[in-house]
Amino acid sequence: MREMIKMILVITILASVSGGLLAAVKQGTAAQIEAQVLKFVQGPALNKMLAGATNDPLNDRFDIDDTDFFVGKMPDGSNIVVFETFGSGYGGPIGVMVGVNIATDKIFAIGVTTHTETPGLGSRAQTDPKFARQFADKNMVQVFKVKADGGDVDALAGATVTSMGVSAAVTRAGELYEKLAPQIKDKARQQTS
Amino acid sequence: MAKTITQEFTKGLWKEIPPFRLVLGLCPVLGVTTTMENGFGMGLATTFVLVCSNVLVSMLRNIIPSKVRIACFIVVIATFVCLVELLMQAYAYQLFITLGVFIPLIVVNCIVLGRAEAFASKNKVIPSLADGLGIGIGFTLSLSALGAVREILGTGHVSIPFGPLVTLLDTSWYPAFEFMVKAPGAFVGLGLMLCLMNLVPQK
């Protein structure tokens, strides 16, 4: 009996100390990790999409319901709001940044941030500019589907599931935008004024 | 026969160098050594976990009941692995992305648990520290070496840890042996290095 109590006691104390320590470290590094994710995950896609912006979109951001919205001021005076949504691909979730022109409600550009797709096939969703470009200038609020599903998105050859995932992410972005458009426009105006 | 601290330390560098002599912990060895930098980063992370868990297990060796010792070791190791994962995410994000799932997998790296069980739980703190450090540095060196060989043959250049990318082979006139940076190249590279090490006579 004594031995059993000792076993339980030792393991409980060890696990509690471990849990406490990790919680503290997690809290301590949370801000730094968030900054790193912004810089390395969303930053590159953002900078590519908003190349030529006159401000720093990484700094000019606001959040609604824990989603980050980045505001880019383009040289022609239009304001682009960019945010990230996810769709499921072949190897896991695909993060897609969708930029919308808030004056016209049309998509400005999209860019893939994180993915675990097959290198050389699905990974081209991130690197093939032709694939991303077909979303540009389309209405933001609509259902995107690949041609195999009866839509009009040209799927990447050999990566239909990935293309479907990206389409689903952009569709989801449209839904979110439809819901939050007044708030987004309001906050974007405050950012840019 | 008691060994000196120096012996405990240096045995990890050659006589018991983990992937080549013990042929342990092969999963990260084969998985992350696509470049020298990745191998080095993985080695450092493992060394940190190894040293910390060895010291702590050695300190607690008289408190931990032997019936639940493996569970206790795993809690200790897992704590340090999570710590490394968080710190790497916060301060070396790119490395964190390339090493990916192999960081949490350090928990089940049999070198770490093996040292805790076979050495730290039976020895004092200082020898355990030396043992962990030696094995860890040996592991780091092995991973860096294998990573460098695969990277040079596979791409023609080598990424010095914390340094520049050095081009060693001009791959413009022949196709680089691309398979060396893919999974089969890991086995071939490891096999060749094992073979070379066995050519050196054991004392």
Side-chain angles (χ1 to χ4, degrees), chain B residues 58-193:
Chain B
S58 172
M59 269 157 54
L60 299 174
R61 71 185 187 282
N62 295 326
I63 306 171
I64 294 176
S66 67
K67 277 186 184 157
V68 289
R69 65 182 191 284
I70 299 291
C72 293
F73 297 163
I74 287 289
V75 171
V76 169
I77 295 167
T79 308
F80 287 117
V81 171
C82 289
L83 209 63
V84 167
E85 194 181 4
L86 284 170
L87 291 176
M88 197 177 262
Q89 208 173 349
Y91 298 104
Y93 195 81
Q94 274 170 317
L95 194 63
F96 171 77
I97 292 290
T98 40
L99 295 183
V101 73
F102 288 102
I103 295 291
L105 280 180
I106 297 176
V107 177
V108 289
N109 188 325
C110 48
I111 296 172
V112 184
L113 186 61
R115 292 333 283 179
E117 162 75 8
F119 196 91
S121 64
K122 300 186 184 99
N123 288 283
K124 292 209 179 78
V125 175
I126 301 294
S128 298
L129 177 80
D131 175 77
L133 207 58
I135 296 276
I137 291 174
F139 190 66
T140 309
L141 289 178
S142 321
L143 257 65
S144 308
L146 185 57
V149 168
R150 289 179 64 190
E151 195 182 6
I152 291 168
L153 291 178
T155 61
H157 46 70
V158 60
S159 54
I160 308 291
F162 308 112
L165 200 68
V166 182
T167 305
L168 289 176
L169 300 174
D170 178 18
T171 51
S172 57
W173 57 277
Y174 76 100
F177 311 120
E178 227 172 70
F179 93 102
M180 280 307 286
V181 288
K182 303 219 166 89
F187 286 95
V188 173
L190 181 73
L192 287 177
M193 289 182 76

Side-chain angles (χ1 to χ4, degrees), chain A residues 149-185:
Chain A
D149 272 350
D152 50 11
V153 174
D154 266 324
L156 290 156
T160 312
V161 178
T162 308
S163 311
M164 282 156 69
V166 173
S167 307
V170 181
T171 307
R172 205 160 294 154
E175 287 163 9
L176 193 68
Y177 183 70
E178 192 177 22
K179 206 170 72 186
L180 297 175
Q183 266 174 293
I184 292 174
K185 287 179 184 176

Side-chain angles (χ1 to χ4, degrees), chain A residues 3 6-7 10-11 14-15 17-19 21-22 25-26 28-29 32-33 36-37 40-41, chain B residues 60 62-65 67-68 71-72 75-76 79 82-83 86-87 89-94:
Chain A
E3 198 196 351
K6 195 190 169 197
M7 285 197 289
V10 168
I11 265 208
L14 206 58
V17 171
S18 150
L21 178 74
L22 287 178
V25 173
K26 174 133 189 137
T29 52
Q32 176 72 19
I33 289 176
Q36 294 274 32
V37 172
F40 288 109
V41 178
Chain B
L60 299 174
N62 295 326
I63 306 171
I64 294 176
K67 277 186 184 157
V68 289
C72 293
V75 171
V76 169
T79 308
C82 289
L83 209 63
L86 284 170
L87 291 176
Q89 208 173 349
Y91 298 104
Y93 195 81
Q94 274 170 317

